[in-house]
Amino acid sequence: MHLFTLFMDFRGGTYISQISALDIRSALKQWAEEINSKKIAHFGETSKKELREKILLDTCVPVKDVKNVWCSGAALKTGCVFVHIVRTEH
């Protein structure tokens, strides 16, 4: 298992989560399922469902010249979500 730190930018706010998972795709999927939509302004259960559907279709892009860092995102009806994922060895 690896520790992944996810930084989500949404409508001017930055939200940080940590997930333990085997790989980047598993971490992103688990994160999308566990987001607490009540703690994010303008991000209700409908946005959460839309994010889960779209984020898993997107490819996590490795950040060039940086080890163990990826980027992903999705355009939702309520705004764009950008996610940076960092794998931390522990």
Side-chain angles (χ1 to χ4, degrees):
M1 296 291 272
H2 299 282
L3 179 65
F4 292 89
T5 303
L6 296 97
F7 302 86
M8 179 177 100
D9 292 321
F10 179 71
R11 293 184 72 161
T14 302
Y15 307 90
I16 303 170
S17 303
Q18 289 189 307
I19 299 289
S20 290
L22 292 174
D23 57 36
I24 183 69
R25 295 302 297 164
S26 299
L28 195 58
K29 180 180 179 183
Q30 182 180 343
W31 168 78
E33 291 171 357
E34 293 180 5
I35 290 174
N36 186 343
S37 60
K38 294 178 182 176
K39 292 187 175 184
I40 303 171
H42 310 288
F43 192 89
E45 285 299 312
T46 302
S47 294
K48 180 177 176 176
K49 181 181 178 191
E50 187 180 7
L51 175 64
R52 280 194 320 256
E53 293 169 358
K54 289 186 174 186
I55 202 85
L56 297 177
L57 295 176
D58 192 27
T59 303
C60 293
V61 178
V63 176
K64 186 178 179 180
D65 299 327
V66 182
K67 190 174 181 180
N68 297 324
V69 180
W70 298 264
C71 182
S72 189
L76 309 179
K77 291 177 184 171
T78 54
C80 290
V81 173
F82 297 99
V83 184
H84 287 86
I85 307 108
V86 179
R87 186 178 77 200
T88 306
E89 300 299 328
H90 64 283

